[in-house]
């Protein structure tokens, strides 16, 4: 299978490309320098020339807080950019895989969100990702939407950020009242490719198993790392981030796990994978 990946140098794009190549798939990896998704003619030309069977659209504006002050840019990338990629994929007869987020929900539930639950994004980032879902579907082509959550990998996301601060000896303030499913990027990448290769279409949730809070995740990461610093639990309101976030954004994985015939790896397994990959990266230097 020939697969074109947008945003291939980003967190998830890198993991998807690596996983695809490990499976022997023909991966066309395009980073932002190779493909500007906001340039519709360029997107149409590149996708047509590549002739992929599938396009995994990982390119996105993901700066959740900054999106509040840059709504036009977030919309340009997450909505218009997605529309350009989706229409090009449809014209090429390729399946589009659109990566979305748990932030399309408002967090008022206290049981895991089903794919069919009504969205209600609280901030600009979530709204633009939800509108991106709409742009993908309206293209008229075959579409697989994979919502993921609390994504992190080597050098990117919450886990490496708090470890870097802790290793520098800085005290940490960590939010204690948001609950979700942390997801190690390679686990998300494997599940997305599994769904694609299983001919899945429509809405799917792809995230780590189990659920936790940012505070619990931070403490487990620090314990595993053996780093001791002061950790101060704070509420969402006290932390004062520019963008509102759902208090509860646990994604229901039942349908995904049934389709895959396996459980999604638990978030603790993902954390172990992170530390193993980090150690391997240090060894290679």
């Amino acid at each position: 299978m020939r697969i074109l990946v947008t945003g291939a140098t980003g967190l998830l794009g890198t993991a998807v490309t690596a996983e695809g190549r490990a499976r022997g798939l023909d991966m066309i990896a395009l980073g932002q320098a190779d493909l500007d998704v906001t340039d519709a003619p360029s997107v149409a030309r590149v996708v047509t020339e590549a002739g992929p069977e599938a396009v995994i659209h990982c390119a996105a504006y993901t700066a959740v807080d900054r999106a509040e002050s840059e709504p036009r840019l977030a919309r340009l990338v997450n909505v218009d950019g997605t529309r350009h990629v989706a229409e090009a994929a449809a014209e090429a007869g390729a399946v589009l895989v659109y990566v979305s987020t748990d932030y399309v929900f408002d967090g008022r539930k206290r049981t895991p969100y089903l794919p069919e639950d009504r969205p209600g994004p609280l901030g600009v980032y979530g709204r633009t990702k939800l509108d991106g879902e709409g742009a993908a579907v309206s293209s008229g082509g075959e579409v697989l939407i994979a919502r993921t959550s609390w994504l992190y990998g080597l050098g990117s996301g919450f886990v490496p950020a708090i470890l870097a601060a802790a290793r520098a000896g800085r005290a940490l303030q960590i939010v204690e009242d948001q609950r979700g499913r942390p997801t190690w990027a390679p686990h998300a990448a494997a599940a997305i490719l599994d769904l694609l290769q299983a001919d899945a279409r429509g809405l799917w949730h792809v995230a780590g198993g189990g659920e936790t809070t940012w505070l619990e995740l931070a403490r487990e990461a620090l314990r595993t790392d053996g780093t001791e610093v002061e950790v101060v639990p704070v509420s969402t309101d006290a932390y004062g981030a520019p963008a509102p976030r759902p208090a509860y954004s646990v994604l229901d994985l039942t349908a995904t796990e049934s389709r895959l015939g396996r459980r999604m790896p638990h978030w603790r397994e993902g954390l172990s994978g992170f530390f193993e990959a980090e150690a391997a990266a240090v060894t290679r230097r």
Side-chain angles (χ1 to χ4, degrees):
M1 176 181 277
R2 169 170 279 200
I3 300 174
L4 186 150
V5 182
T6 71
T9 56
L11 171 57
L12 185 58
T14 299
V16 166
T17 301
E19 177 66 22
R21 286 175 176 163
R23 297 182 184 203
L25 302 175
D26 182 6
M27 307 298 289
I28 304 168
L30 303 179
Q32 185 176 7
D34 307 305
L35 180 64
D36 177 2
V37 298
T38 68
D39 183 343
S42 178
V43 171
R45 175 181 55 79
V46 169
V47 173
T48 298
E49 291 177 356
E53 297 168 69
V55 176
I56 302 181
H57 183 40
C58 296
Y61 181 107
T62 58
V64 177
D65 287 324
R66 199 164 67 241
E68 297 299 309
S69 59
E70 296 181 341
R72 292 180 63 184
L73 179 57
R75 180 159 295 276
L76 179 65
V77 177
N78 291 346
V79 184
D80 296 342
T82 298
R83 181 177 298 108
H84 301 157
V85 173
E87 290 176 351
E91 183 67 23
V95 179
L96 175 74
V97 180
Y98 173 70
V99 181
S100 192
T101 173
D102 58 326
Y103 282 16
V104 301
F105 295 115
D106 62 17
R108 294 180 182 177
K109 281 188 74 175
R110 286 301 177 266
T111 56
Y113 279 96
L114 300 166
E116 59 268 26
D117 280 337
R118 184 174 181 175
L122 301 176
V124 171
Y125 170 70
R127 286 195 294 273
T128 60
K129 291 300 288 182
L130 179 62
D131 288 347
E133 291 184 10
V137 172
S138 67
S139 69
E142 293 187 77
V143 177
L144 187 168
I145 297 172
R147 291 178 181 146
T148 190
S149 67
W150 293 25
L151 197 67
Y152 68 94
L154 291 183
S156 183
F158 176 79
V159 171
I162 66 106
L163 287 174
R167 289 166 181 171
R170 298 199 294 272
L172 302 172
Q173 286 192 330
I174 307 293
V175 172
E176 64 178 343
D177 56 358
Q178 293 174 28
R179 195 163 192 86
R181 295 190 189 272
T183 310
W184 167 229
H187 288 166
I192 288 170
L193 284 170
D194 284 345
L195 287 169
L196 176 61
Q197 293 185 294
D199 295 324
R201 302 291 184 268
L203 271 170
W204 300 87
H205 287 170
V206 173
E211 58 182 77
T212 190
T213 64
W214 293 116
L215 178 62
E216 291 168 349
L217 175 59
R219 284 176 169 163
E220 183 63 16
L222 293 172
R223 185 196 66 77
T224 304
D225 194 50
T227 301
E228 295 185 8
V229 294
E230 181 184 7
V231 177
V232 181
V234 295
S235 68
T236 296
D237 288 344
Y239 191 78
R245 288 165 168 79
Y248 182 91
S249 62
V250 177
L251 299 176
D252 190 286
L253 304 175
T254 305
T256 299
E257 292 177 336
S258 177
R259 185 59 177 262
L260 297 181
R262 63 175 174 84
R263 302 297 296 270
M264 286 296 297
H266 194 276
W267 67 266
R268 292 182 188 275
E269 186 178 339
L271 194 59
S272 295
F274 168 85
F275 280 105
E276 290 170 5
E278 186 181 55
V282 170
T283 300
R284 288 194 297 268
R285 290 173 188 164

